[in-house]
Amino acid sequence: MSIEIDKKKCVGCGRCRDVCPGTLIALDEERRAYIKYPRDCWGCTSCIKECPVYAIRFFLGADMGGLGSRLHTEKDGDILRWVIEKPGGSTAVIDVDTRESNKY
Ligand code: SF4
Ligand code: SF4
């Protein structure tokens, strides 16, 4: 379970580094983010949700039923959009209204 960071998209804001509860992400000498300890990532998705340019993707391996899909999130006002890119090129989208989330 791990993330991948597209260094070409990264703008060096440092949000992913700051939010990772495991201190797993660092910035290189060009202020591009990279994951230092990919094996230690437990997939909390915090860094993915924080990235303003959608440069981080979560790898959905076979162990999670993802069969190699990649997940990232996008924000549209109060909507948090979970975008799953499947290996064959198709995409699945799940919209979550954050005003309604985390209610019990
Ligand atoms: S998914 Fe969570 S644990 Fe993994 S690198 Fe991102 S913030 Fe850290
Ligand atoms: S949050 Fe995104 S843009 Fe900011 S440092 Fe991390 S990967 Fe780069």
Side-chain angles (χ1 to χ4, degrees):
M1 185 181 296
S2 187
I3 57 158
E4 59 185 9
I5 301 175
D6 186 342
K7 284 193 171 189
K8 291 185 201 136
K9 285 187 182 173
C10 174
V11 295
C13 70
R15 286 195 214 175
C16 56
R17 174 199 58 191
D18 296 343
V19 78
C20 179
T23 323
L24 306 178
I25 299 174
L27 300 183
D28 66 15
E29 60 283 351
E30 296 177 329
R31 284 195 67 81
R32 299 288 183 263
Y34 68 99
I35 182 159
K36 289 187 291 183
Y37 310 108
R39 288 186 181 179
D40 291 337
C41 170
W42 60 91
C44 71
T45 71
S46 295
C47 58
I48 297 166
K49 289 185 279 189
E50 281 299 317
C51 181
V53 293
Y54 315 135
I56 308 176
R57 280 169 166 65
F58 180 51
F59 182 68
L60 299 168
D63 55 332
M64 300 181 68
L67 301 176
S69 300
R70 284 167 168 77
L71 166 77
H72 73 278
T73 61
E74 298 177 4
K75 290 193 183 94
D76 182 8
D78 290 320
I79 301 298
L80 180 63
R81 182 159 293 133
W82 298 80
V83 182
I84 301 166
E85 300 161 77
K86 299 182 182 179
S90 62
T91 302
V93 176
I94 302 167
D95 282 349
V96 175
D97 187 336
T98 56
R99 293 168 300 184
E100 301 297 326
S101 58
N102 296 326
K103 283 186 178 175
Y104 292 90

XYZ file of all heavy atoms in Angstrom:
826
model
N 0.851 -1.184 0.000
C 0.000 0.000 0.000
C 0.889 1.236 0.000
O 1.745 1.375 0.861
C -0.868 -0.031 1.248
C -1.885 1.068 1.314
S -2.856 0.977 2.840
C -3.712 -0.576 2.668
N 0.726 2.064 -1.003
C 1.539 3.273 -0.999
C 0.982 4.286 -1.987
O 0.054 4.009 -2.723
C 2.990 2.959 -1.363
O 3.790 4.109 -1.208
N 1.608 5.443 -1.953
C 1.251 6.509 -2.874
C 2.351 6.650 -3.914
O 3.447 6.121 -3.770
C 1.098 7.846 -2.129
C 2.402 8.186 -1.388
C -0.089 7.818 -1.194
C 2.569 9.638 -1.077
N 2.037 7.390 -4.966
C 3.069 7.811 -5.913
C 2.877 9.312 -6.122
O 1.755 9.818 -6.134
C 2.966 7.047 -7.228
C 1.637 7.191 -7.934
C 1.537 6.311 -9.166
O 2.410 5.462 -9.386
O 0.546 6.482 -9.907
N 3.983 10.018 -6.243
C 3.936 11.470 -6.409
C 4.519 11.823 -7.771
O 5.630 11.400 -8.101
C 4.739 12.178 -5.300
C 4.167 11.810 -3.926
C 4.709 13.698 -5.508
C 4.958 12.352 -2.754
N 3.755 12.577 -8.553
C 4.219 13.032 -9.863
C 5.024 14.315 -9.665
O 4.469 15.391 -9.449
C 3.020 13.287 -10.780
C 3.425 13.627 -12.201
O 4.600 14.001 -12.408
O 2.570 13.538 -13.094
N 6.327 14.181 -9.716
C 7.193 15.339 -9.458
C 7.011 16.449 -10.491
O 7.264 17.609 -10.206
C 8.663 14.905 -9.432
C 9.062 14.186 -8.150
C 10.574 14.079 -8.066
C 10.990 13.560 -6.697
N 12.431 13.636 -6.491
N 6.585 16.084 -11.680
C 6.389 17.118 -12.712
C 5.215 18.029 -12.355
O 5.189 19.199 -12.733
C 6.128 16.462 -14.068
C 7.330 15.759 -14.629
C 7.034 15.228 -16.030
C 7.997 14.120 -16.360
N 7.344 12.983 -16.995
N 4.243 17.503 -11.635
C 3.087 18.313 -11.244
C 3.328 19.067 -9.939
O 2.720 20.098 -9.701
C 1.854 17.417 -11.058
C 1.223 16.927 -12.339
C -0.073 16.216 -11.991
C -0.743 15.656 -13.219
N -1.901 14.829 -12.860
N 4.168 18.529 -9.080
C 4.377 19.092 -7.741
C 4.855 20.536 -7.830
O 5.763 20.854 -8.597
C 5.396 18.243 -6.993
S 5.867 18.922 -5.393
N 4.239 21.409 -7.014
C 4.644 22.813 -6.974
C 5.362 23.152 -5.671
O 5.605 24.319 -5.377
C 3.433 23.752 -7.190
C 2.871 23.573 -8.591
C 2.346 23.514 -6.139
N 5.671 22.145 -4.881
C 6.527 22.350 -3.716
C 5.895 23.061 -2.537
O 6.597 23.659 -1.720
N 4.568 22.949 -2.397
C 3.905 23.679 -1.306
C 4.203 23.062 0.062
O 4.082 23.731 1.081
C 2.399 23.724 -1.540
S 1.571 22.124 -1.343
N 4.539 21.784 0.103
C 4.882 21.129 1.364
C 3.697 20.639 2.179
O 3.871 20.086 3.263
N 2.494 20.798 1.673
C 1.313 20.389 2.457
C 1.304 18.892 2.735
O 0.921 18.454 3.813
C 0.034 20.758 1.708
C -0.272 22.225 1.724
C -1.717 22.408 1.277
N -1.884 23.627 0.531
C -3.016 23.981 -0.060
N -4.052 23.181 -0.045
N -3.107 25.115 -0.702
N 1.671 18.092 1.742
C 1.661 16.639 1.933
C 2.659 16.236 3.021
O 2.367 15.388 3.863
C 1.974 15.919 0.632
S 3.540 16.394 -0.128
N 3.809 16.863 3.008
C 4.823 16.572 4.033
C 4.290 16.932 5.416
O 4.447 16.181 6.379
C 6.091 17.372 3.732
C 7.166 17.276 4.796
C 8.150 18.407 4.667
N 7.469 19.697 4.757
C 8.036 20.859 4.463
N 9.279 20.898 4.040
N 7.356 21.991 4.579
N 3.630 18.091 5.502
C 3.170 18.560 6.805
C 2.024 17.729 7.357
O 1.891 17.593 8.572
C 2.727 20.026 6.700
C 3.880 20.949 6.345
O 5.044 20.530 6.494
O 3.599 22.085 5.905
N 1.190 17.180 6.480
C -0.008 16.493 6.954
C 0.224 15.003 7.214
O -0.547 14.380 7.946
C -1.174 16.692 5.949
C -1.029 15.762 4.736
C -2.510 16.522 6.617
N 1.263 14.429 6.662
C 1.462 12.977 6.809
C 1.719 12.627 8.276
O 2.701 13.077 8.859
C 2.629 12.487 5.951
S 2.896 10.704 6.168
N 0.848 11.817 8.860
C 1.011 11.487 10.279
C 2.233 10.622 10.559
O 2.649 10.506 11.705
C -0.288 10.754 10.633
C -0.811 10.260 9.330
C -0.358 11.216 8.279
N 2.804 10.049 9.530
C 3.971 9.204 9.730
C 5.278 9.854 9.318
O 6.321 9.202 9.327
N 5.227 11.125 8.942
C 6.434 11.846 8.491
C 7.137 11.057 7.389
O 8.365 10.895 7.398
C 7.398 12.104 9.671
O 6.642 12.390 10.837
C 8.294 13.292 9.375
N 6.365 10.585 6.440
C 6.908 9.719 5.391
C 7.322 10.486 4.139
O 7.984 9.938 3.269
C 5.855 8.670 4.991
C 5.268 7.829 6.131
C 4.222 6.879 5.577
C 6.350 7.079 6.857
N 6.919 11.759 4.040
C 7.143 12.533 2.815
C 8.156 13.648 3.085
O 8.148 14.266 4.146
C 5.814 13.134 2.303
C 4.822 12.004 1.972
C 6.036 14.014 1.086
C 3.428 12.493 1.593
N 9.021 13.894 2.115
C 10.008 14.972 2.223
C 10.037 15.740 0.911
O 9.455 15.314 -0.094
C 11.385 14.393 2.530
N 10.702 16.881 0.922
C 10.928 17.650 -0.296
C 12.400 17.527 -0.665
O 13.270 17.589 0.208
C 10.570 19.127 -0.086
C 9.127 19.462 0.305
C 8.952 20.974 0.392
C 8.126 18.875 -0.670
N 12.680 17.365 -1.952
C 14.073 17.256 -2.373
C 14.682 18.656 -2.521
O 14.053 19.663 -2.194
C 14.198 16.409 -3.656
C 13.545 17.062 -4.867
O 13.247 18.267 -4.821
O 13.329 16.348 -5.870
N 15.890 18.726 -3.027
C 16.591 20.008 -3.118
C 15.916 20.986 -4.081
O 16.122 22.199 -4.013
C 18.066 19.791 -3.517
C 18.308 19.107 -4.841
C 18.095 17.588 -4.814
O 17.909 16.990 -3.726
O 18.118 16.998 -5.898
N 15.056 20.461 -4.957
C 14.299 21.333 -5.869
C 12.869 21.572 -5.374
O 12.020 22.034 -6.135
C 14.266 20.716 -7.273
C 15.652 20.614 -7.884
C 15.624 19.944 -9.248
O 14.745 19.073 -9.471
O 16.482 20.277 -10.065
N 12.630 21.256 -4.121
C 11.305 21.376 -3.496
C 10.245 20.560 -4.235
O 9.124 21.013 -4.443
C 10.857 22.840 -3.356
C 11.558 23.565 -2.228
C 10.859 24.870 -1.878
N 9.533 24.694 -1.286
C 9.308 24.401 0.006
N 10.322 24.227 0.823
N 8.080 24.291 0.444
N 10.608 19.379 -4.617
C 9.643 18.437 -5.175
C 9.458 17.324 -4.152
O 10.430 16.796 -3.612
C 10.140 17.837 -6.498
C 10.366 18.872 -7.592
C 9.042 19.404 -8.122
N 9.226 20.349 -9.206
C 9.234 21.674 -9.075
N 9.074 22.227 -7.891
N 9.394 22.463 -10.110
N 8.184 16.985 -3.907
C 7.887 16.002 -2.868
C 8.232 14.591 -3.331
O 8.112 14.256 -4.508
C 6.417 16.085 -2.490
N 8.666 13.772 -2.383
C 8.866 12.341 -2.644
C 8.580 11.592 -1.350
O 8.666 12.157 -0.255
C 10.280 12.047 -3.163
C 11.363 12.263 -2.146
C 11.908 11.193 -1.429
C 11.865 13.539 -1.896
C 12.913 11.392 -0.495
C 12.872 13.748 -0.957
C 13.382 12.667 -0.258
O 14.368 12.872 0.694
N 8.227 10.326 -1.491
C 7.946 9.532 -0.299
C 9.213 8.794 0.096
O 9.809 8.058 -0.698
C 6.725 8.599 -0.496
C 6.452 7.841 0.792
C 6.866 7.696 -1.702
C 5.044 7.293 0.914
N 9.617 9.010 1.331
C 10.879 8.439 1.825
C 10.723 6.959 2.164
O 11.635 6.177 1.966
C 11.315 9.172 3.111
C 11.783 10.573 2.915
C 12.343 11.142 4.215
C 11.263 11.348 5.248
N 11.721 11.961 6.503
N 9.565 6.608 2.723
C 9.385 5.242 3.226
C 8.082 4.666 2.681
O 7.081 4.563 3.401
C 9.348 5.243 4.758
C 10.495 5.986 5.393
C 10.297 7.206 6.016
C 11.785 5.456 5.354
C 11.354 7.894 6.592
C 12.848 6.134 5.924
C 12.617 7.364 6.540
O 13.668 8.041 7.106
N 8.049 4.323 1.401
C 6.787 3.869 0.798
C 6.185 2.653 1.486
O 4.960 2.518 1.554
C 7.172 3.568 -0.655
C 8.664 3.516 -0.683
C 9.162 4.354 0.437
N 7.003 1.781 2.021
C 6.457 0.586 2.669
C 5.726 0.905 3.961
O 4.945 0.087 4.448
C 7.582 -0.411 2.963
C 8.117 -1.067 1.723
C 9.112 -2.124 2.078
N 9.650 -2.748 0.888
C 10.567 -3.693 0.906
N 11.048 -4.118 2.038
N 11.004 -4.200 -0.222
N 6.001 2.057 4.527
C 5.362 2.408 5.797
C 4.039 3.136 5.609
O 3.327 3.391 6.582
C 6.295 3.276 6.645
C 7.483 2.482 7.146
O 7.366 1.245 7.225
O 8.514 3.090 7.445
N 3.695 3.511 4.380
C 2.438 4.229 4.134
C 1.264 3.282 4.383
O 1.233 2.169 3.876
C 2.411 4.721 2.689
S 0.795 5.358 2.172
N 0.299 3.725 5.174
C -0.869 2.899 5.458
C -2.115 3.415 4.754
O -3.234 3.031 5.064
C -1.109 2.752 6.960
C -1.355 4.024 7.704
C -2.548 4.603 7.954
C -0.370 4.866 8.310
N -2.373 5.762 8.665
C -1.042 5.952 8.904
C 1.022 4.819 8.407
C -0.384 6.974 9.572
C 1.679 5.838 9.074
C 0.980 6.891 9.650
N -1.915 4.339 3.829
C -3.018 4.731 2.963
C -4.092 5.564 3.611
O -5.277 5.425 3.279
N -3.717 6.473 4.476
C -4.734 7.296 5.140
C -5.351 8.314 4.183
O -6.395 8.875 4.473
C -4.137 8.006 6.348
S -2.987 9.342 5.944
N -4.705 8.592 3.078
C -5.125 9.507 1.994
C -5.057 10.990 2.368
O -5.514 11.834 1.610
C -6.534 9.185 1.416
O -7.536 9.518 2.368
C -6.662 7.722 1.017
N -4.504 11.321 3.525
C -4.427 12.732 3.928
C -3.619 13.553 2.929
O -4.020 14.660 2.549
C -3.789 12.851 5.317
O -4.616 12.261 6.278
N -2.484 13.044 2.510
C -1.636 13.808 1.580
C -2.354 14.008 0.250
O -2.261 15.074 -0.373
C -0.299 13.101 1.377
S -0.457 11.416 0.748
N -3.087 13.004 -0.179
C -3.798 13.077 -1.458
C -4.841 14.182 -1.426
O -4.976 14.974 -2.360
C -4.451 11.709 -1.759
C -3.366 10.640 -1.899
C -5.326 11.767 -2.995
C -3.875 9.221 -1.872
N -5.559 14.259 -0.308
C -6.612 15.266 -0.188
C -6.046 16.675 -0.042
O -6.711 17.646 -0.379
C -7.524 14.924 0.998
C -8.398 13.716 0.730
C -9.376 13.452 1.843
C -8.717 12.712 2.976
N -9.652 12.249 4.003
N -4.837 16.801 0.444
C -4.239 18.127 0.645
C -3.587 18.703 -0.606
O -3.472 19.913 -0.741
C -3.173 18.058 1.739
C -3.718 18.063 3.133
C -4.504 19.330 3.466
O -4.047 20.429 3.103
O -5.572 19.213 4.070
N -3.170 17.853 -1.515
C -2.383 18.348 -2.661
C -3.236 19.250 -3.570
O -4.253 18.813 -4.100
C -1.838 17.175 -3.464
S -0.830 17.741 -4.859
N -2.828 20.491 -3.768
C -3.644 21.425 -4.553
C -3.590 21.176 -6.057
O -4.422 21.712 -6.794
C -3.027 22.789 -4.209
C -1.607 22.490 -3.881
C -1.611 21.138 -3.240
N -2.639 20.377 -6.509
C -2.495 20.174 -7.962
C -2.697 18.700 -8.357
O -2.357 18.294 -9.458
C -1.114 20.680 -8.448
C -1.029 22.197 -8.304
C 0.026 20.004 -7.708
N -3.242 17.918 -7.421
C -3.567 16.509 -7.691
C -2.348 15.727 -8.192
O -2.447 14.938 -9.136
C -4.719 16.400 -8.688
C -5.874 17.343 -8.406
C -6.462 18.061 -9.419
C -6.374 17.495 -7.109
C -7.522 18.923 -9.158
C -7.423 18.353 -6.844
C -7.994 19.068 -7.861
O -9.042 19.915 -7.614
N -1.231 15.943 -7.548
C 0.005 15.280 -7.980
C 0.213 13.927 -7.307
O 1.140 13.203 -7.664
C 1.204 16.182 -7.678
N -0.653 13.606 -6.334
C -0.435 12.378 -5.566
C -1.544 11.378 -5.869
O -2.729 11.723 -5.873
C -0.405 12.668 -4.054
C 0.588 13.787 -3.753
C -0.047 11.401 -3.278
C 0.619 14.206 -2.293
N -1.137 10.144 -6.121
C -2.095 9.077 -6.378
C -1.836 7.925 -5.425
O -0.697 7.654 -5.073
C -1.978 8.591 -7.826
C -2.706 9.516 -8.777
C -2.418 9.233 -10.215
N -3.368 9.913 -11.087
C -3.480 11.227 -11.208
N -2.700 12.029 -10.499
N -4.376 11.765 -12.012
N -2.930 7.295 -5.051
C -2.853 6.145 -4.163
C -3.000 4.897 -5.016
O -3.914 4.799 -5.837
C -3.979 6.252 -3.128
C -4.018 5.130 -2.148
C -2.892 4.745 -1.450
C -5.196 4.461 -1.900
C -2.924 3.707 -0.542
C -5.253 3.423 -0.988
C -4.117 3.047 -0.308
N -2.076 3.980 -4.848
C -2.081 2.762 -5.648
C -3.016 1.737 -5.022
O -2.858 1.375 -3.852
C -0.662 2.193 -5.745
C -0.578 0.963 -6.588
C -0.778 1.026 -7.959
C -0.312 -0.270 -6.008
C -0.706 -0.110 -8.747
C -0.237 -1.412 -6.793
C -0.436 -1.330 -8.154
N -3.993 1.301 -5.781
C -4.963 0.318 -5.300
C -4.573 -1.053 -5.845
O -4.933 -1.412 -6.954
C -6.378 0.693 -5.764
C -6.895 2.052 -5.260
C -8.159 2.446 -6.015
C -7.169 1.998 -3.778
N -3.817 -1.761 -5.065
C -3.306 -3.055 -5.503
C -4.346 -4.162 -5.416
O -5.476 -3.960 -4.973
N -3.939 -5.336 -5.833
C -4.855 -6.483 -5.839
C -5.334 -6.809 -4.438
O -6.461 -7.281 -4.248
C -4.156 -7.681 -6.455
N -4.501 -6.528 -3.438
C -4.887 -6.847 -2.062
C -6.093 -6.022 -1.615
O -6.798 -6.385 -0.675
C -3.710 -6.629 -1.106
C -3.124 -5.227 -1.210
O -3.224 -4.627 -2.296
O -2.564 -4.755 -0.218
N -6.353 -4.902 -2.293
C -7.500 -4.062 -1.950
C -8.609 -4.179 -2.984
O -9.575 -3.407 -2.957
C -7.071 -2.592 -1.852
C -6.021 -2.351 -0.803
S -5.612 -0.622 -0.733
C -7.149 0.039 -0.087
N -8.461 -5.094 -3.921
C -9.464 -5.240 -4.965
C -9.350 -4.207 -6.058
O -10.228 -4.078 -6.909
N -8.256 -3.444 -6.045
C -8.089 -2.366 -7.016
C -7.443 -2.804 -8.310
O -7.546 -2.126 -9.324
N -6.746 -3.934 -8.279
C -6.139 -4.523 -9.474
C -5.290 -3.516 -10.257
O -5.291 -3.498 -11.476
C -7.212 -5.130 -10.386
C -8.068 -6.220 -9.732
C -9.159 -6.678 -10.673
C -7.214 -7.400 -9.288
N -4.597 -2.663 -9.526
C -3.684 -1.727 -10.184
C -4.280 -0.374 -10.501
O -3.647 0.428 -11.184
N -5.481 -0.105 -10.035
C -6.066 1.213 -10.242
C -5.327 2.251 -9.400
O -4.610 1.918 -8.451
C -7.545 1.213 -9.829
O -8.277 0.295 -10.588
N -5.532 3.516 -9.770
C -4.930 4.606 -9.013
C -6.016 5.596 -8.609
O -6.903 5.903 -9.404
C -3.838 5.294 -9.832
C -2.576 4.469 -9.889
C -1.603 4.950 -10.937
N -0.299 4.324 -10.762
C -0.018 3.082 -11.114
N -0.939 2.322 -11.649
N 1.193 2.582 -10.910
N -5.910 6.081 -7.389
C -6.939 6.956 -6.832
C -6.351 8.328 -6.508
O -5.246 8.424 -5.964
C -7.457 6.318 -5.537
C -8.290 7.196 -4.608
C -9.702 7.355 -5.148
C -8.330 6.592 -3.213
N -7.074 9.378 -6.878
C -6.740 10.701 -6.369
C -8.039 11.432 -6.073
O -9.124 10.959 -6.439
C -5.852 11.492 -7.343
C -6.565 12.000 -8.555
N -6.804 11.228 -9.668
C -7.123 13.199 -8.816
C -7.457 11.930 -10.572
N -7.666 13.141 -10.081
N -7.951 12.542 -5.389
C -9.150 13.316 -5.079
C -9.063 14.690 -5.724
O -7.969 15.197 -5.981
C -9.342 13.497 -3.557
O -8.227 14.205 -3.027
C -9.489 12.161 -2.855
N -10.230 15.246 -5.976
C -10.321 16.616 -6.477
C -11.387 17.333 -5.664
O -12.316 16.693 -5.165
C -10.696 16.624 -7.971
C -9.657 15.929 -8.836
C -10.061 15.865 -10.305
O -11.112 16.436 -10.666
O -9.338 15.225 -11.080
N -11.255 18.641 -5.527
C -12.240 19.399 -4.761
C -13.062 20.273 -5.707
O -12.531 20.892 -6.619
C -11.546 20.282 -3.724
C -10.917 19.477 -2.602
C -10.520 20.382 -1.435
C -9.825 19.550 -0.369
N -8.393 19.549 -0.490
N -14.369 20.301 -5.450
C -15.279 21.147 -6.221
C -16.235 21.771 -5.217
O -17.294 21.223 -4.935
C -16.001 20.298 -7.261
C -16.926 21.137 -8.136
O -16.886 22.374 -8.035
O -17.702 20.543 -8.911
N -15.843 22.891 -4.643
C -16.633 23.479 -3.576
C -16.666 22.550 -2.377
O -15.623 22.138 -1.879
N -17.867 22.192 -1.944
C -18.016 21.284 -0.802
C -17.918 19.816 -1.211
O -17.988 18.933 -0.358
C -19.375 21.520 -0.119
C -19.419 22.856 0.603
O -18.396 23.225 1.224
O -20.456 23.528 0.534
N -17.796 19.579 -2.494
C -17.721 18.198 -2.970
C -16.273 17.719 -2.997
O -15.391 18.376 -3.562
C -18.321 18.067 -4.392
C -19.792 18.508 -4.406
C -18.175 16.631 -4.918
C -20.710 17.689 -3.545
N -16.046 16.579 -2.355
C -14.753 15.903 -2.462
C -14.948 14.751 -3.444
O -15.761 13.848 -3.204
C -14.301 15.373 -1.101
C -12.956 14.658 -1.102
C -11.833 15.610 -1.505
C -12.676 14.057 0.275
N -14.250 14.844 -4.550
C -14.431 13.880 -5.632
C -13.312 12.845 -5.578
O -12.137 13.182 -5.674
C -14.398 14.629 -6.966
C -14.624 13.785 -8.180
C -15.082 14.640 -9.349
N -16.400 15.183 -9.103
C -16.748 16.471 -9.302
N -15.884 17.318 -9.784
N -17.963 16.881 -9.015
N -13.685 11.580 -5.420
C -12.719 10.481 -5.410
C -12.681 9.909 -6.830
O -13.692 9.396 -7.324
C -13.139 9.406 -4.411
C -13.183 9.903 -3.001
C -14.175 10.622 -2.423
C -12.182 9.732 -1.999
N -13.848 10.917 -1.111
C -12.639 10.381 -0.823
C -10.937 9.093 -1.977
C -11.895 10.402 0.349
C -10.205 9.117 -0.804
C -10.674 9.767 0.341
N -11.553 10.029 -7.482
C -11.416 9.622 -8.880
C -10.534 8.370 -8.943
O -9.381 8.384 -8.499
C -10.783 10.746 -9.727
C -10.687 10.331 -11.183
C -11.574 12.039 -9.571
N -11.090 7.295 -9.466
C -10.354 6.035 -9.591
C -10.054 5.805 -11.065
O -10.960 5.686 -11.883
C -11.171 4.857 -9.030
C -11.486 5.114 -7.549
C -10.425 3.543 -9.214
C -12.554 4.196 -6.992
N -8.773 5.783 -11.393
C -8.340 5.529 -12.774
C -7.990 4.050 -12.902
O -7.058 3.574 -12.266
C -7.119 6.389 -13.094
C -7.385 7.881 -12.955
C -6.100 8.660 -12.814
O -5.407 8.866 -13.814
O -5.772 9.043 -11.677
N -8.740 3.363 -13.728
C -8.549 1.914 -13.857
C -7.474 1.609 -14.888
O -7.220 2.416 -15.790
C -9.879 1.253 -14.223
C -10.938 1.473 -13.150
C -12.240 0.786 -13.495
C -13.271 1.075 -12.414
N -14.566 0.458 -12.706
N -6.833 0.444 -14.785
C -5.731 0.112 -15.699
C -6.141 0.152 -17.176
O -5.345 0.503 -18.033
C -5.330 -1.308 -15.276
C -5.802 -1.440 -13.871
C -7.024 -0.585 -13.755
N -7.360 -0.176 -17.488
C -7.816 -0.177 -18.875
C -8.091 1.207 -19.441
O -8.412 1.348 -20.617
N -8.001 2.243 -18.600
C -8.205 3.602 -19.077
C -9.533 4.211 -18.664
O -9.739 5.416 -18.818
N -10.458 3.390 -18.151
C -11.737 3.952 -17.708
C -11.587 4.577 -16.325
O -10.604 4.341 -15.610
C -12.819 2.874 -17.694
O -12.469 1.855 -16.788
N -12.582 5.380 -15.961
C -12.528 6.118 -14.697
C -13.838 5.944 -13.943
O -14.915 5.952 -14.547
C -12.310 7.621 -14.989
O -11.104 7.769 -15.727
C -12.184 8.419 -13.700
N -13.730 5.784 -12.649
C -14.912 5.767 -11.784
C -14.807 6.954 -10.832
O -13.720 7.277 -10.359
C -14.988 4.462 -10.997
N -15.943 7.617 -10.601
C -15.940 8.821 -9.771
C -16.976 8.671 -8.658
O -18.115 8.265 -8.905
C -16.265 10.070 -10.617
C -16.354 11.307 -9.741
C -15.213 10.266 -11.703
N -16.558 8.996 -7.443
C -17.476 8.992 -6.305
C -17.443 10.388 -5.689
O -16.386 10.851 -5.237
C -17.055 7.950 -5.245
C -16.994 6.557 -5.868
C -18.004 7.981 -4.045
C -16.298 5.517 -4.997
N -18.585 11.074 -5.699
C -18.674 12.407 -5.110
C -19.189 12.317 -3.679
O -20.209 11.675 -3.425
C -19.631 13.280 -5.929
C -18.990 13.802 -7.200
O -17.758 13.677 -7.349
O -19.726 14.336 -8.053
N -18.497 12.979 -2.780
C -18.922 13.018 -1.381
C -19.140 14.483 -0.992
O -18.248 15.315 -1.140
C -17.848 12.387 -0.460
C -18.250 12.551 1.004
C -17.640 10.925 -0.810
N -20.342 14.777 -0.510
C -20.644 16.124 -0.028
C -20.068 16.243 1.384
O -20.565 15.613 2.323
C -22.162 16.345 -0.022
C -22.520 17.783 0.307
O -21.712 18.481 0.958
O -23.623 18.206 -0.087
N -19.041 17.040 1.537
C -18.353 17.096 2.831
C -19.231 17.733 3.914
O -18.938 17.578 5.096
C -17.027 17.874 2.709
O -17.305 19.184 2.175
C -16.062 17.158 1.796
N -20.290 18.427 3.517
C -21.197 18.980 4.533
C -21.993 17.871 5.200
O -22.520 18.041 6.293
C -22.159 19.989 3.899
C -21.478 21.248 3.404
C -22.406 22.050 2.552
N -22.853 21.278 1.385
C -23.619 21.732 0.416
N -24.054 22.964 0.458
N -23.963 20.961 -0.600
N -22.091 16.730 4.501
C -22.871 15.614 5.030
C -21.997 14.509 5.605
O -22.526 13.532 6.160
C -23.748 15.013 3.914
C -24.721 15.995 3.294
C -25.745 16.497 4.302
O -26.133 15.724 5.188
O -26.137 17.681 4.203
N -20.691 14.627 5.437
C -19.816 13.535 5.893
C -19.525 13.668 7.384
O -19.678 14.721 7.988
C -18.513 13.550 5.100
O -17.853 14.774 5.242
N -19.110 12.580 7.946
C -18.736 12.505 9.364
C -19.900 12.859 10.301
O -19.696 13.355 11.391
C -17.525 13.396 9.679
C -16.297 12.913 8.945
O -16.131 11.717 8.743
N -15.449 13.835 8.539
N -21.116 12.599 9.824
C -22.272 12.766 10.706
C -22.643 11.390 11.271
O -22.602 10.402 10.558
C -23.458 13.341 9.938
C -23.348 14.822 9.686
C -24.633 15.342 9.053
C -24.550 16.835 8.845
N -25.735 17.336 8.125
N -23.067 11.374 12.484
C -23.462 10.113 13.099
C -24.938 10.128 13.421
O -25.534 11.167 13.572
C -22.671 9.880 14.404
C -21.210 9.637 14.133
C -20.324 10.698 14.097
C -20.753 8.353 13.875
C -18.987 10.475 13.841
C -19.407 8.120 13.618
C -18.531 9.188 13.596
O -17.215 8.961 13.344
S -1.380 8.207 2.508
Fe -1.200 8.918 4.663
S 0.444 7.638 5.520
Fe 0.597 7.466 3.283
S 2.109 9.041 2.699
Fe 0.044 9.954 2.506
S -0.349 11.002 4.473
Fe 1.391 9.567 4.773
S 0.971 18.715 -1.652
Fe 1.264 18.296 -3.859
S 2.146 20.188 -4.695
Fe 2.390 20.289 -2.458
S 4.453 19.440 -2.070
Fe 2.994 17.730 -1.912
S 2.942 16.801 -3.987
Fe 3.885 18.838 -4.172
